[in-house]
Amino acid sequence: MIIIGVINIVMWSFLILSGSVADFNEKPVAYLFHWSSEFMMAVLLIIAGYKVLNNHSCMHNYTMLALGFLVISIGGAFFHYLDNFELIIFAFSSLVTCITIIAIIVTYESLKDFIYLTLGISVYALINITGELIQPLNYAMISMAGPALLFLVVLTVSVLKKDVVFKYLDRKKSNDP
């Protein structure tokens, strides 16, 4: 996770600073939101990797959240480079996509993991969607995506260092009607 996080920061920094993003002037807000989600993902991957190396108590939560960010990001890159074919980048995104999916399968333990994974996927996606909606000022859609993003970020931050536990009730044995 640390290696992918660092590679992501270096790659995006190079692309941004070199001016390699041809249509930036057409969609600056959308790109700023996309880059924000990419840098957030990279930082989360580095933090999660650090927590795993130090066997921190909430390492699993950070790992699943970061893998959620990564799987949606790298999945998008996979399809982008499949459509705009560049062999080296397509091969790299394919490899990272496969490794990410395997990492999710191997580390998945319970429904709690599904929630952190879903939060990562949803927050990353909504950051990008919100940027794409703000660019043309689609007020109706912003009024839905903006609050959804805000509430998911608040939920994510508030549960990240907590142990989420599910209690299953046998409704048949309950005295409730």
Side-chain angles (χ1 to χ4, degrees), residues 65-132:
L65 181 68
L67 289 175
F69 267 77
L70 181 58
V71 77
I72 191 83
S73 170
I74 200 65
F78 172 83
F79 285 108
H80 175 79
Y81 290 109
L82 181 61
D83 189 40
N84 305 296
F85 197 75
E86 293 181 35
L87 180 60
I88 293 172
I89 298 175
F90 176 74
F92 179 74
S93 66
S94 298
L95 178 65
V96 175
T97 300
C98 290
I99 291 170
T100 303
I101 292 169
I102 291 168
I104 290 169
I105 292 168
V106 169
T107 58
Y108 186 89
E109 294 175 355
S110 68
L111 181 59
K112 174 183 83 160
D113 296 340
F114 184 74
I115 289 174
Y116 287 107
L117 189 65
T118 301
L119 285 170
I121 291 168
S122 301
V123 169
Y124 179 94
L126 278 170
I127 291 169
N128 284 279
I129 290 167
T130 303
E132 290 289 334

Side-chain angles (χ1 to χ4, degrees), residues 1-173:
M1 288 184 290
I2 293 171
I3 292 168
I4 295 298
V6 170
I7 287 172
N8 197 48
I9 289 172
V10 170
M11 180 195 70
W12 278 111
S13 297
F14 175 76
L15 288 172
I16 293 166
L17 296 174
S18 69
S20 297
V21 183
D23 60 341
F24 175 76
N25 290 331
E26 297 169 26
K27 303 187 318 180
V29 174
Y31 274 110
L32 291 174
F33 272 71
H34 179 69
W35 294 337
S36 296
S37 67
E38 288 290 326
F39 284 109
M40 286 173 65
M41 177 197 61
V43 168
L44 272 171
L45 286 166
I46 293 167
I47 291 170
Y50 173 79
K51 289 190 179 292
V52 167
L53 289 175
N54 290 300
N55 202 24
H56 195 272
S57 62
C58 61
M59 69 181 177
H60 199 73
N61 299 352
Y62 276 88
T63 297
M64 295 310 285
L65 181 68
L67 289 175
F69 267 77
L70 181 58
V71 77
I72 191 83
S73 170
I74 200 65
F78 172 83
F79 285 108
H80 175 79
Y81 290 109
L82 181 61
D83 189 40
N84 305 296
F85 197 75
E86 293 181 35
L87 180 60
I88 293 172
I89 298 175
F90 176 74
F92 179 74
S93 66
S94 298
L95 178 65
V96 175
T97 300
C98 290
I99 291 170
T100 303
I101 292 169
I102 291 168
I104 290 169
I105 292 168
V106 169
T107 58
Y108 186 89
E109 294 175 355
S110 68
L111 181 59
K112 174 183 83 160
D113 296 340
F114 184 74
I115 289 174
Y116 287 107
L117 189 65
T118 301
L119 285 170
I121 291 168
S122 301
V123 169
Y124 179 94
L126 278 170
I127 291 169
N128 284 279
I129 290 167
T130 303
E132 290 289 334
L133 296 172
I134 289 174
Q135 185 67 52
L137 292 177
N138 186 332
Y139 295 113
M141 297 306 288
I142 293 168
S143 73
M144 290 184 257
L149 175 60
L150 176 66
F151 279 81
L152 282 175
V153 167
V154 169
L155 176 64
T156 302
V157 170
S158 64
V159 300
L160 193 54
K161 292 185 178 181
K162 296 188 174 55
D163 191 22
V164 177
V165 179
F166 294 92
K167 183 177 179 182
Y168 298 97
L169 299 175
D170 186 358
R171 299 281 182 202
K172 294 177 186 175
K173 293 181 181 179

